[in-house]
Amino acid sequence: MTRYPNLFQPLELGHVTLKNRVLMGSMHTGLEETKDWNRVAEFYAERARGGVGLMVTGGMAPNREGGVFPGAAGLYTPEDIANHRLVTDRVHQAGGRIAMQILHAGRYAYGPDCVAPSPIKSPISPFPPKELDEAGIEKQIADFATAASRAKEAGYDGVEVMGSEGYFLNQFIVTHTNKRTDRWGGAYENRIRLPIEVVKRVRAAVGPDFIVIYRLSMIDLVPEGSTHDEVVHLAQEIETAGADILNTGIGWHEARIPTIATSVPRAAFAWVTQKLMGKVGIPLITSNRINTPEVAEQILAEGCADMVSMARPFLADARFMAKAEAGQGGLIAPCIACNQACLDHTFSGKISTCLVNPRACHETELVIEKAGAAKTVAVVGAGPAGLAAALTAAERGHEVTLFDRAEEIGGQLNLAKRIPGKEEFIGFVDWYERMVAAAGITLRLGRAARVDDLRGFDEVIVATGVAPRDPRIAGQEGPNVLSYIDVLRGGAEVGRRVAIVGAGGIGFDVAEFLVEAVPSPTLDLEEWKVQWGVADPAVQRGGLAPGGPQPEPPQREVILLQRKSERPGKRLGKTTGWIHRATLRMKGVKMKAGVTYERITPDGLWIRTGEAGETPVLLEVDTVVLCAGQVPERSLADALAAQGIAAHVIGGADVAAELDAKRAIDQGTRLAARL
Ligand code: NAP
Ligand code: SF4
């Protein structure tokens, strides 16, 4: 008997039955653009083998002008069809089903040929779109239909028409972007004419025995967005036009409310889909921040949706469904919603992967096979680098001993999990604990490993991490100065007025820790909605609360400082940095760049913001917290080298600069894959 009876319930669509209620949502991985179609096929086949009911590809443009960027993958030529056929064949051989998403970016397209209902530039692209005329609109509709019939020819089980997230079809629906006065603009009936027409023509092109999913924006989170009544009306029209399933879209890309980041509560938008339940006759899929089988099961059990979409969780673990079905839910590698290796890569023009699982999108290149001969492997340091190396080595059949001077595994992840909004790191460390136990790794905790402990192992891996950088500020030994470790471990007295030295990832984290109350809004959906200004679209158009964000008052007065003159937080995650900056702004945190630290006295921190020789000013604070970066902790590596014992040095112990868990895990996994 499965623990997830709703999740493993088949879904009947008339002409086809899906084996369970989970859809792998569309993700733009960048794999198609590599033109290595074997690699694309293997990415999807691995997830098909993992048992997901239906997958949707990354967005494929119906034409050149609709591509997300010039040269974005599409399905235009007979050669393209043959390439896509490789993917669909491989997925079908693996027992899976796959639909192709047709994505027309409209004014979000990052190219000079972009088109839209009205010539209004989007805030996220520098290119103003051309306004389409009647013939231009007809061409777009025809191109959607052609793309759908090509998808059928290429062997896909269906298509998903992308109508949400502020892309082309969504741009026609709301007056925010549609200022037309012809039959495609003005009244709501006119503005929804295009998506309805597209679905009708797509259905006509593919015939009845082909899945047509429509992704509908159920809460736009932008000014002049749709009301709930309008969403219901559109959903009913889309059903009549021939869609088999409605998928949920949440928020436009230009919305200033986070929708998928780690600080968004789990299943934060299932209530939005639930509002549409019972108002259409076709199944509804819900999405956003669903990352465990328990959460997915609960959503279905509570009647919020008929099916659940998860995207990034299938990067973290291709075998999500197989493990859930086998009663091994606790061994599913968790997506922590960090975006660091998936969306941040996509938006930097790099191939996506996953912080937790570096094999994602690298299935053909990072192959983890049983080792020819089992070795004894010592790994020192149970942070992300050491854990990844230990688990991969054990998976390959090596006998692994993992040392850490702390009483618990996790290293710096144990600091990250204390940051409000980063609660997903708690589950991440717990997962590592279960994996270490399941892999039969011998743990030696609570004492720093010495050279003598490591003699006799076939391989020694040093993953001893980092130590805080000493910023050498006069007076820093005073009782009013703390390091980020003192603060985040808890127990240290932090005053009401705080200056933070260093505005990197940890400086931002510490600032959030100091201003946010416990428990954080991430653990309280209603409070989170108030904090960010999310309202019910049945009451407020687009789901935007009239008063905007209403955060709780900050716990402390904080000023965040850096020496560089650039904007603080500029180097934070590409898709999440704005959320951290906005959170601190909402909490009244001040930020100052271009400072020179003079000295710390009992009165506070003396800084200069101008030329040398200028009179320093006093920041009157009770506590100064040092977050000035990190340096490699190499004492063990050096001691081993001095004794002539060969060792592999990875993670922060190797290079501390710009270290994050993504690089650490990737390096640890890749090293152990070749031992
Ligand atoms: P970091 O990002 O390198 O930032 C170090 C900060 O300290 C900078 O603001 C730097 O700015 C300042 N600094 C450097 N040397 C200094 C000195 N001698 N005296 C005074 N200030 C100095 O390092 P981190 O904040 O320790 O973070 C470590 C790593 O963890 C980073 O790679 C980061 O990406 C990662 N992390 C990421 C996240 C995330 O949200 N993705 C969160 C936490 C940590 P100036 O030199 O301009 O003063
Ligand atoms: Fe999830 Fe982060 Fe992996 Fe992306 S990189 S799939 S957000 S864990």
Side-chain angles (χ1 to χ4, degrees):
M1 172 66 186
T2 169
R3 291 178 56 194
Y4 315 109
N6 289 287
L7 210 55
F8 287 97
Q9 193 72 236
L11 182 65
E12 186 57 57
L13 292 179
H15 58 280
V16 63
T17 304
L18 302 179
K19 62 183 166 196
N20 55 49
R21 300 297 178 111
V22 174
L23 174 101
M24 180 175 110
S26 175
M27 287 179 282
H28 197 87
T29 60
L31 282 177
E32 288 83 357
E33 282 82 14
T34 66
K35 310 227 185 301
D36 181 348
W37 286 88
N38 177 51
R39 186 172 173 183
V40 182
E42 205 34 50
F43 169 76
Y44 286 110
E46 185 153 323
R47 281 140 188 94
R49 286 192 288 274
V52 61
L54 176 64
M55 298 182 287
V56 180
T57 65
M60 297 294 142
N63 51 31
R64 311 267 171 207
E65 60 270 30
V68 179
F69 51 85
L75 187 46
Y76 312 125
T77 63
E79 194 194 352
D80 285 338
I81 293 176
N83 289 333
H84 284 259
R85 172 63 80 176
L86 251 176
V87 176
T88 57
D89 280 350
R90 198 82 62 86
V91 166
H92 292 148
Q93 282 156 18
R97 291 187 190 279
I98 185 163
M100 186 188 88
Q101 188 187 70
I102 310 175
L103 168 67
H104 190 310
R107 71 178 196 146
Y108 280 170
Y110 210 81
D113 299 329
C114 59
V115 295
S118 301
I120 307 166
K121 195 182 87 59
S122 96
I124 60 171
S125 165
F127 299 99
K130 286 189 210 54
E131 178 174 312
L132 285 165
D133 60 14
E134 184 72 31
I137 291 175
E138 168 53 32
K139 174 182 182 301
Q140 307 307 312
I141 299 170
D143 289 347
F144 266 95
T146 306
S149 49
R150 283 188 188 134
K152 189 170 184 189
E153 201 183 327
Y156 283 104
D157 298 279
V159 288
E160 176 174 81
V161 175
M162 181 47 159
S164 66
E165 261 72 8
Y167 286 114
F168 182 62
L169 298 180
N170 217 173
Q171 291 159 22
F172 271 79
I173 297 169
V174 304
T175 54
H176 182 65
T177 39
N178 184 347
K179 308 289 181 195
R180 302 177 75 93
T181 51
D182 60 3
R183 68 192 188 104
W184 304 100
Y188 188 67
E189 280 68 22
N190 286 349
R191 287 184 272 124
I192 61 174
R193 191 184 308 280
L194 181 66
I196 295 168
E197 203 52 37
V198 164
V199 173
K200 274 189 196 158
R201 296 271 286 274
V202 162
R203 175 54 79 198
V206 296
D209 299 335
F210 195 67
I211 303 169
V212 175
I213 309 168
Y214 182 84
R215 184 130 179 225
L216 194 153
S217 184
M218 296 195 195
I219 181 166
D220 292 318
L221 300 176
V222 290
E224 300 162 53
S226 297
T227 64
H228 177 62
D229 286 347
E230 289 171 344
V231 167
V232 173
H233 181 71
L234 174 61
Q236 291 167 345
E237 293 285 347
I238 293 288
E239 177 181 3
T240 308
D244 295 301
I245 316 182
L246 289 175
N247 195 357
T248 303
I250 302 289
W252 288 34
H253 284 317
E254 66 202 70
R256 291 293 88 182
I257 293 170
T259 54
I260 60 166
T262 193
S263 59
V264 175
R266 285 179 172 178
F269 294 97
W271 61 276
V272 176
T273 315
Q274 188 174 26
K275 291 178 77 70
L276 196 56
M277 287 289 278
K279 294 178 182 156
V280 286
I282 52 177
L284 297 184
I285 306 174
T286 195
S287 81
N288 286 52
R289 282 294 278 121
I290 301 163
N291 64 345
T292 69
E294 285 74 21
V295 175
E297 174 68 18
Q298 192 181 345
I299 285 171
L300 295 171
E302 289 176 357
C304 295
D306 302 290
M307 198 171 181
V308 164
S309 169
M310 291 181 261
R312 297 170 299 170
F314 286 100
L315 293 181
D317 199 330
R319 294 182 48 73
F320 185 112
M321 293 302 284
K323 288 181 183 174
E325 195 164 22
Q328 298 178 329
L331 300 185
I332 295 171
C335 165
I336 55 173
C338 63
N339 283 2
Q340 276 177 250
C342 50
L343 280 163
D344 284 353
H345 277 210
T346 305
F347 284 94
S348 315
K350 291 196 252 173
I351 292 176
S352 290
T353 179
C354 174
L355 175 144
V356 172
N357 171 26
R359 284 198 69 244
C361 301
H362 295 270
E363 287 77 11
T364 53
E365 164 243 334
L366 179 50
V367 180
I368 296 168
E369 290 173 325
K370 282 277 173 230
K375 294 180 177 177
T376 55
V377 179
V379 181
V380 185
L387 284 165
L391 285 175
T392 307
E395 187 182 339
R396 298 191 56 222
H398 296 311
E399 193 185 313
V400 181
T401 306
L402 178 59
F403 298 81
D404 200 292
R405 67 179 169 195
E407 294 287 353
E408 56 182 2
I409 67 163
Q412 296 239 30
L413 298 177
N414 289 313
L415 296 181
K417 74 186 188 187
R418 299 183 57 92
I419 310 299
K422 288 197 168 176
E423 289 82 0
E424 286 293 349
F425 282 81
I426 299 170
F428 188 22
V429 177
D430 291 348
W431 172 76
Y432 269 129
E433 273 174 8
R434 290 190 293 272
M435 290 297 287
V436 165
I441 291 170
T442 304
L443 272 180
R444 295 267 180 272
L445 298 178
R447 186 174 67 80
R450 291 185 292 251
V451 171
D452 283 348
D453 298 323
L454 304 173
R455 291 185 200 280
F457 282 94
D458 296 327
E459 304 279 356
V460 176
I461 300 174
V462 176
T464 42
V466 291
R469 178 186 286 126
D470 179 356
R472 297 168 191 273
I473 303 172
Q476 67 180 29
E477 36 321 291
N480 54 345
V481 183
L482 298 171
S483 89
Y484 63 89
I485 298 177
D486 304 325
V487 173
L488 296 179
R489 278 211 188 120
E493 273 294 308
V494 183
R496 249 208 75 71
R497 300 166 307 165
V498 182
I500 298 178
V501 169
I506 291 181
F508 267 73
D509 275 359
V510 166
E512 286 189 42
F513 180 85
L514 292 175
V515 293
E516 199 70 80
V518 178
S520 86
T522 301
L523 300 179
D524 182 338
L525 178 56
E526 290 313 310
E527 189 190 333
W528 181 86
K529 281 158 65 181
V530 173
Q531 170 170 12
W532 285 97
V534 178
D536 185 340
V539 181
Q540 296 297 337
R541 187 169 272 287
L544 289 184
Q550 302 285 336
E552 286 288 310
Q555 299 290 301
R556 291 182 179 79
E557 282 170 37
V558 173
I559 181 161
L560 193 53
L561 305 162
Q562 73 178 24
R563 299 172 306 172
K564 286 187 285 295
S565 53
E566 70 187 29
R567 182 177 54 138
K570 187 177 169 212
R571 297 166 198 230
L572 296 175
K574 193 138 182 116
T575 61
T576 53
W578 69 272
I579 302 170
H580 296 295
R581 290 190 294 271
T583 305
L584 293 192
R585 244 192 335 267
M586 284 196 286
K587 293 286 190 179
V589 172
K590 297 197 185 79
M591 298 186 199
K592 214 176 219 349
V595 307
T596 307
Y597 306 110
E598 280 291 321
R599 62 186 180 279
I600 301 169
T601 64
D603 301 329
L605 173 62
W606 292 85
I607 58 166
R608 274 187 290 110
T609 50
E611 296 299 308
E614 186 189 87
T615 316
V617 292
L618 172 67
L619 299 176
E620 289 184 53
V621 294
D622 309 307
T623 309
V624 177
V625 183
L626 305 178
C627 304
Q630 303 170 324
V631 293
E633 174 48 72
R634 295 186 67 106
S635 44
L636 179 66
D638 293 343
L640 287 167
Q643 299 267 336
I645 298 174
H648 309 273
V649 183
I650 59 171
D654 176 28
V655 181
E658 311 217 332
L659 172 77
D660 60 22
K662 180 181 82 172
R663 175 156 66 77
I665 292 170
D666 185 73
Q667 197 182 13
T669 307
R670 284 176 188 276
L671 167 68
R674 50 173 203 272
L675 281 184

